């Protein structure tokens, strides 16, 4: 069985090569980093210092907040403590100018999320932040999968999560990486804690953190330019890319970024999914007894197409949104990335910009699904558009069973729509093409054959029904989905009258899309 053999292998992620960088590798890597800096991926020293100041102030605010909560609940103010941790791109050291800082507040058992973290009462952290000078645009998202307070603090965007430990005292030397920290925590606290635990574990698994960071910055920029950076759409998000890069770093622990980037595309263009990517063995703890990813025991896990497993307990698949269509798109892009890297590294004139050329959806396809999202007020539109976007993967998954499609992760808006009474609207586009014959490498090794006649009506109707059935939907929130050809695309997109033709062939029978 594919999964079992991988999970119980003795040498978990053994290095493929321990070779040190050559002089050419260092030159190529320096050129890559220089290109990333020219593209504005690194923040200024002033912004970095401002972030440190904001985090320091936030730490002071949390320290005062927990004392007030302790007093309210009859606990000792002298012993009261809460801690701030960072995670995500900031903790990994790959954030760019203007990026959010993902932060976690860890508090004791008597400080509850519902009554002390959120709320309008004077003692709550939400209320204290709202009164703080320099804090703007504060927004509490209580019902999210991971509840969060969003705010802008002196120009720095902050996403603040909360974890309520099951102990009355938070130690100043709290080891958030210890699995015992999760004991008796509620599910939302476990999810919040695991953001930090996963980020820290990824860094621990990497031999050369500087090389990891340059490579990850490059991959994130590449994925954004090529339209495959979006967990919610069915592609990969920040933590997924970080785990994949860390895996390559374990295979080539001494390699320079240029080599790591090239090896990344070389490996994943041919990876036999759903063989999982794991940085360390899956840990099971009978004393905590939390569910972990295990396709041998969990039938649902067997349906995952591109398992990228988080390295901290409880280990989960971080890429469960990936569908057949988005996996195929990413595989095609990995193949292109490999070809581009090969050409760039062989050339005497290094041009890393060729790798990062943006994909242009509209030149690649003749047929599209157009999803129009509209509302009659700005507030309603922001809520409605967020909901529709989060459900888009349902359309991708169902329609992708009968046709190949490429969803573009970002919405398109007509910037000259000011005089339109329905100006609160946006459009999502999905490129359509005939389904390829592929073998699904899973337990059944099923062959997927293309259909001659394709009817997307059932998939579209099911998607529209599920989206419109949102309990918070109000009057004026609407959605329409229709099939259109290139010639019928909105004029305001500014596209050429005639679509660019596809040119050179790539590996396999499918032709390469021109950008």
């Amino acid at each position: 069985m594919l999964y079992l053999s991988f999970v119980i292998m003795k040498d978990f992620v053994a290095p493929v090569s321990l070779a040190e960088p050559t002089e050419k590798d260092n030159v190529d890597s320096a050129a890559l980093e220089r290109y990333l800096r020219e593209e504005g991926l690194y923040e200024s020293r002033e912004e970095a210092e401002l972030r440190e100041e904001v985090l320091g102030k936030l730490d002071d605010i949390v320290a005062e907040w927990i004392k007030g909560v302790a007093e309210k609940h009859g606990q000792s103010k002298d012993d009261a403590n809460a801690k701030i941790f960072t995670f995500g791109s900031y903790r990994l050291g790959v954030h760019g100018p203007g990026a959010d800082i993902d932060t976690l507040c860890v508090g004791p058992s008597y400080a509850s999320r519902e009554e002390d973290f959120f709320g309008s009462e004077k003692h709550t952290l939400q209320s204290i932040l709202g009164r703080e000078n320099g804090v703007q645009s504060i927004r509490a998202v209580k019902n999210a999968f991971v509840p969060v307070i969003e705010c802008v603090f002196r120009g720095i965007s902050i996403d603040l999560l909360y974890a309520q430990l099951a102990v009355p005292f938070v130690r100043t030397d709290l080891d958030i990486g210890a699995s015992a920290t999760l004991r008796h925590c509620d599910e939302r606290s476990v999810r919040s804690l695991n953001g930090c635990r996963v980020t820290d574990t990824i860094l621990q698994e990497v031999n050369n953190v500087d090389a990891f960071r340059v490579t990850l910055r490059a991959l994130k920029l590449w994925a954004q330019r090529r339209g495959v950076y979006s967990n919610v759409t069915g592609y990969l998000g920040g933590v997924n890319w970080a785990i994949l890069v860390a895996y390559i770093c374990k295979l080539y622990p001494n390699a320079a970024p240029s080599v790591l980037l090239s090896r990344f595309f070389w490996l994943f263009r041919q990876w036999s999914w759903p063989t999982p990517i794991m940085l360390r063995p899956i840990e099971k703890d009978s004393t905590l007894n939390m569910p972990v990813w295990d396709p041998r025991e969990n039938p649902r896990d067997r349906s995952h197409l591109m398992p990228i497993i988080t390295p901290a307990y409880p280990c989960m698949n971080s890429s469960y949104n990936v569908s057949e269509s988005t996996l195929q798109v990413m595989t095609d892009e990995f193949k292109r990335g490999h070809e581009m890297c090969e050409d760039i590294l062989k050339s005497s004139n290094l041009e890393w910009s060729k790798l990062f050329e943006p994909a242009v959806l509209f030149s690649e396809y003749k047929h599209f699904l157009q999803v129009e999202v509209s509302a009659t007020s700005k507030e309603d539109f922001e809520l409605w558009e967020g909901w529709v976007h989060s459900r888009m993967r349902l359309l991708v998954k169902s329609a992708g069973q009968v046709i190949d499609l490429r969803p573009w992760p970002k919405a398109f808006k007509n910037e000259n729509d000011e005089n339109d009474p329905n100006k609160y609207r946006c459009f999502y586009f999905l490129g359509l093409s005939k389904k390829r014959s592929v073998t699904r490498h899973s337990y059944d090794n099923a062959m997927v054959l293309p259909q001659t006649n394709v009817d997307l009506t059932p998939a579209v109707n099911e998607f529209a029904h599920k989206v419109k059935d949102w309990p918070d939907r109000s009057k004026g929130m609407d959605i329409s989905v229709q099939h259109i050809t290139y010639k019928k695309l909105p004029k305001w997109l500014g596209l050429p009258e005639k679509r660019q033709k596809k040119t050179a062939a790539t590996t396999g029978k499918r032709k390469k899309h021109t950008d």
Side-chain angles (χ1 to χ4, degrees):
M1 292 173 67
L2 178 64
Y3 288 111
L4 182 59
S5 63
F6 192 90
V7 171
I8 64 176
M9 58 190 286
K10 185 177 180 181
D11 297 325
F12 201 69
V13 184
V16 172
S17 171
L18 297 174
E20 297 288 339
T22 65
E23 183 178 349
K24 183 180 186 305
D25 294 338
N26 289 329
V27 170
D28 294 342
S29 298
L32 173 62
E33 186 170 2
R34 186 163 56 250
Y35 173 79
L36 298 178
R37 289 188 180 279
E38 290 171 353
E39 293 300 301
L41 265 64
Y42 292 79
E43 68 181 356
S44 65
R45 178 180 297 180
E46 292 76 16
E47 184 174 352
E49 292 174 351
L50 176 59
R51 287 179 185 273
E52 291 295 327
E53 291 175 12
V54 166
L55 286 173
K57 183 60 178 177
L58 182 60
D59 194 53
D60 293 340
I61 292 172
V62 166
E64 288 302 311
W65 162 72
I66 198 62
K67 293 183 185 298
V69 173
E71 186 175 30
K72 182 176 185 296
H73 291 283
Q75 302 290 327
S76 170
K77 291 175 60 177
D78 295 335
D79 294 334
N81 188 40
K83 288 184 66 67
I84 287 290
F85 296 88
T86 61
F87 62 102
S89 62
Y90 181 79
R91 177 71 181 92
L92 288 171
V94 295
H95 61 287
D100 297 350
I101 302 181
D102 294 315
T103 55
L104 169 68
C105 174
V106 178
S109 56
Y110 57 81
S112 77
R113 179 183 298 103
E114 292 76 16
E115 296 180 4
D116 302 306
F117 183 73
F118 290 116
S120 57
E121 293 186 32
K122 188 176 181 180
H123 77 285
T124 67
L125 186 55
Q126 178 184 346
S127 178
I128 291 172
L129 285 172
R131 299 192 302 269
E132 178 68 26
N133 290 332
V135 174
Q136 299 173 320
S137 307
I138 188 166
R139 177 170 175 255
V141 188
K142 302 178 183 179
N143 297 321
F145 188 68
V146 181
V148 59
I149 292 177
E150 300 172 350
C151 66
V152 178
F153 197 164
R154 295 179 59 187
I156 304 295
S157 296
I158 301 287
D159 287 348
L160 180 60
L161 281 56
Y162 182 67
Q164 180 182 358
L165 300 187
V167 293
F169 176 70
V170 177
R171 296 171 57 96
T172 55
D173 60 348
L174 172 68
D175 180 9
I176 201 171
S179 296
T181 305
L182 306 176
R183 194 177 306 279
H184 303 309
C185 288
D186 62 87
E187 289 186 8
R188 290 181 169 182
S189 291
V190 171
R191 295 187 202 119
S192 300
L193 286 163
N194 259 15
C196 293
R197 289 161 49 79
V198 166
T199 302
D200 288 349
T201 306
I202 289 172
L203 290 174
Q204 292 167 10
E205 291 293 315
V206 172
N207 179 56
N208 185 334
V209 175
D210 290 338
F212 164 79
R213 285 171 173 163
V214 173
T215 309
L216 181 54
R217 282 184 186 273
L219 256 300
K220 290 179 67 174
L221 176 63
W222 171 85
Q224 291 163 358
R225 293 271 178 89
R226 301 303 300 175
V228 291
Y229 191 98
S230 173
N231 191 291
V232 70
T233 308
Y235 296 117
L236 302 182
V239 68
N240 312 130
W241 294 111
I243 293 173
L244 292 182
V245 172
Y247 187 82
I248 294 295
C249 289
K250 289 176 74 68
L251 295 180
Y252 305 91
N254 301 321
S258 61
V259 175
L260 293 171
L261 188 59
S262 176
R263 293 290 86 187
F264 179 97
F265 291 121
W266 174 83
L267 180 64
F268 291 116
R269 72 187 171 97
Q270 59 185 331
W271 189 263
S272 181
W273 302 105
T275 304
I277 292 294
M278 297 187 289
L279 299 180
R280 54 170 60 180
I282 290 179
E283 175 187 353
K284 291 191 176 182
D285 190 324
S286 59
T287 63
L288 294 175
N289 199 30
M290 294 181 180
V292 299
W293 186 84
D294 189 345
R296 298 168 299 178
E297 297 181 3
N298 307 323
R300 180 178 295 181
D301 293 344
R302 298 175 196 169
S303 66
H304 295 170
L305 301 178
M306 192 182 186
I308 301 173
I309 310 305
T310 55
Y313 180 85
C315 300
M316 305 298 292
N317 176 23
S318 63
S319 51
Y320 57 85
N321 281 342
V322 172
S323 66
E324 289 182 6
S325 294
T326 53
L327 176 56
Q328 188 60 63
V329 170
M330 287 187 283
T331 301
D332 288 345
E333 288 294 344
F334 293 152
K335 291 176 181 177
R336 174 194 174 275
H338 171 66
E339 292 170 0
M340 291 290 104
C341 277
E342 289 287 290
D343 292 344
I344 292 168
L345 294 175
K346 288 178 181 177
S347 172
S348 58
N349 183 21
L350 274 174
E351 293 187 39
W352 281 109
S353 59
K354 291 182 178 180
L355 174 65
F356 299 96
E357 288 178 354
V360 183
L361 178 73
F362 302 112
S363 66
E364 298 180 358
Y365 296 89
K366 183 178 179 181
H367 295 269
F368 304 86
L369 279 182
Q370 174 185 279
V371 181
E372 180 180 351
V373 185
S374 60
T376 53
S377 73
K378 182 179 180 181
E379 183 178 357
D380 281 355
F381 173 74
E382 291 176 352
L383 293 172
W384 179 236
E385 191 272 335
W387 166 252
V388 174
H389 189 205
S390 72
R391 303 290 96 184
M392 197 71 71
R393 67 181 186 274
L394 303 178
L395 177 60
V396 174
K397 185 176 181 179
S398 57
Q401 295 176 2
V402 295
I403 196 169
D404 279 348
L405 50 81
R406 177 168 187 161
W408 194 254
K410 293 186 178 181
F412 292 82
K413 297 180 181 180
N414 183 1
E415 301 300 333
N416 299 317
D417 223 5
E418 293 299 325
N419 296 322
D420 193 319
N422 298 316
K423 66 179 181 179
Y424 297 107
R425 63 178 178 179
C426 67
F427 297 83
Y428 286 94
F429 293 96
L430 300 83
L432 307 177
S433 59
K434 184 178 179 181
K435 196 167 188 66
R436 284 172 272 185
S437 299
V438 295
T439 300
R440 190 182 298 132
H441 297 286
S442 61
Y443 288 100
D444 54 5
N445 284 330
M447 175 68 78
V448 180
L449 297 174
Q451 300 182 19
T452 304
N453 298 317
V454 176
D455 182 9
L456 295 178
T457 304
V460 168
N461 287 344
E462 180 185 19
F463 167 71
H465 174 74
K466 288 182 177 179
V467 168
K468 290 181 178 180
D469 202 31
W470 188 38
D472 294 335
R473 183 187 176 210
S474 59
K475 185 178 180 180
M477 294 181 177
D478 203 3
I479 180 177
S480 68
V481 185
Q482 60 176 321
H483 165 253
I484 59 174
T485 62
Y486 180 86
K487 292 182 179 179
K488 297 294 183 180
L489 288 169
K491 299 296 183 184
W492 51 263
L493 287 171
L495 302 173
E497 187 174 342
K498 291 186 178 181
R499 184 171 64 96
Q500 297 178 13
K501 301 295 183 181
K502 297 176 184 177
T503 55
T506 55
T507 306
K509 297 180 180 180
R510 193 178 184 87
K511 291 185 177 180
K512 184 177 180 179
H513 301 318
T514 57
D515 293 335

